[in-house]
Amino acid sequence: MKFIDSPVIELQVRDSGLFLQQDNNTFHVGTSVWSCSLVLAKFAERWAPPSPTTTDDNNPYSELLDFHIRRRRAIELGIGCGAAGMAFHLLGLQDVILTDMSPVMPALKRNKPVLGKNLKTSILYWNNKDQMRAVNPPFDVVIVDVVYIEESVGHLVVAMQALIADDGVLLLGYQLRSPEADKLFWEMSEKVFVIEKVPHQDLHPDYAYEETDVYVFRKKTNNN
């Protein structure tokens, strides 16, 4: 599954509902909701502790996805219509910046009001160093669900590396869109990140699409 054809996508996140407008008829893929963003959002919903006092010894992702114990700065690259970043915000990630190219911003701003004024947005081209500095890295959490054009892969990986804190985590919702981009992305990423693939059975059972996966990236250090 690539695009979901409905003009409005409903995404339930705990007790809240997101109703995301999309437009599959533009030339920008960022104006559509891709399944990998929904899979990433629902994976986080499944495992993120619902409150600071919640403990669950059977939750292998409690530390990774606990957004209540301490304030964590976050940024999403290529937010598109807003599904993943808005879902993470509802799960407790308060300090988050949603970024994309300027042609996609109208699609994002149509959906942003559903969460009020708490979310920040910023135009960010991955090869623009001034825009990268303006968002004030590093970030504890980087959210990514966009790998589709071979020419942009190098800029994306450099941006990922530049924006994430040394002890931060990058969460990737992934689906194969271009074999050439796929090959280059993993070749470059494996040089600078330690990568863990989330087992498919750990995805949300209603959002475990065969062609979509979730990965956890951490910066390589001298010890890895």
Side-chain angles (χ1 to χ4, degrees):
M1 180 176 67
K2 292 185 178 180
F3 296 108
I4 300 169
D5 292 332
S6 171
V8 178
I9 304 300
E10 180 180 359
L11 180 64
Q12 190 69 28
V13 183
R14 300 267 162 85
D15 296 329
S16 301
L18 291 175
F19 296 88
L20 303 167
Q21 298 181 50
Q22 67 167 357
D23 184 356
N24 292 338
N25 297 315
T26 72
F27 292 105
H28 298 287
V29 293
T31 61
S32 296
V33 177
W34 287 76
S35 56
C36 56
S37 63
L38 303 179
V39 170
L40 180 58
K42 296 297 283 189
F43 161 73
E45 181 204 40
R46 180 180 182 185
W47 298 105
S51 70
T53 58
T54 303
T55 57
D56 183 354
D57 293 337
N58 296 318
N59 182 348
Y61 304 102
S62 58
E63 183 177 353
L64 174 70
L65 296 172
D66 192 336
F67 304 131
H68 300 285
I69 289 180
R70 64 183 178 90
R71 191 174 185 87
R72 298 162 78 181
R73 295 188 67 233
I75 189 168
E76 179 166 9
L77 306 181
I79 181 69
C81 296
M86 291 183 187
F88 274 77
H89 180 71
L90 288 171
L91 294 169
L93 196 56
Q94 295 302 309
D95 189 355
V96 57
I97 304 175
L98 311 179
T99 72
D100 213 316
M101 304 181 298
S102 53
V104 179
M105 278 295 155
L108 173 59
K109 290 181 177 178
R110 279 197 301 270
N111 291 318
K112 181 174 174 278
V114 300
L115 294 184
K117 299 180 179 179
N118 292 327
L119 285 170
K120 293 171 280 189
T121 61
S122 181
I123 294 172
L124 180 62
Y125 288 80
W126 302 327
N127 61 344
N128 189 312
K129 293 182 179 179
D130 290 336
Q131 291 176 351
M132 297 265 281
R133 283 191 292 267
V135 296
N136 193 27
F139 292 88
D140 305 301
V141 181
V142 178
I143 305 165
V144 180
D145 55 19
V146 50
V147 183
Y148 55 86
I149 300 175
E150 183 180 7
E151 291 75 15
S152 68
V153 165
H155 297 311
L156 172 60
V157 175
V158 169
M160 288 160 47
Q161 188 181 14
L163 293 170
I164 191 173
D166 289 343
D167 60 348
V169 62
L170 183 146
L171 298 167
L172 171 69
Y174 190 80
Q175 65 190 97
L176 177 61
R177 307 181 192 181
S178 158
E180 296 78 15
D182 175 83
K183 182 175 184 293
L184 181 59
F185 176 77
W186 292 112
E187 286 177 351
M188 294 188 65
S189 295
E190 288 168 357
K191 293 178 181 178
V192 291
F193 292 104
V194 177
I195 302 171
E196 173 191 355
K197 183 179 180 180
V198 172
H200 216 65
Q201 64 266 25
D202 288 351
L203 302 179
H204 191 288
D206 295 332
Y207 288 80
Y209 304 138
E210 183 178 350
E211 76 277 13
T212 305
D213 290 293
V214 171
Y215 293 85
V216 180
F217 287 43
R218 292 181 174 87
K219 263 187 177 179
K220 281 189 174 181
T221 66
N222 293 333
N223 298 323
N224 358 79

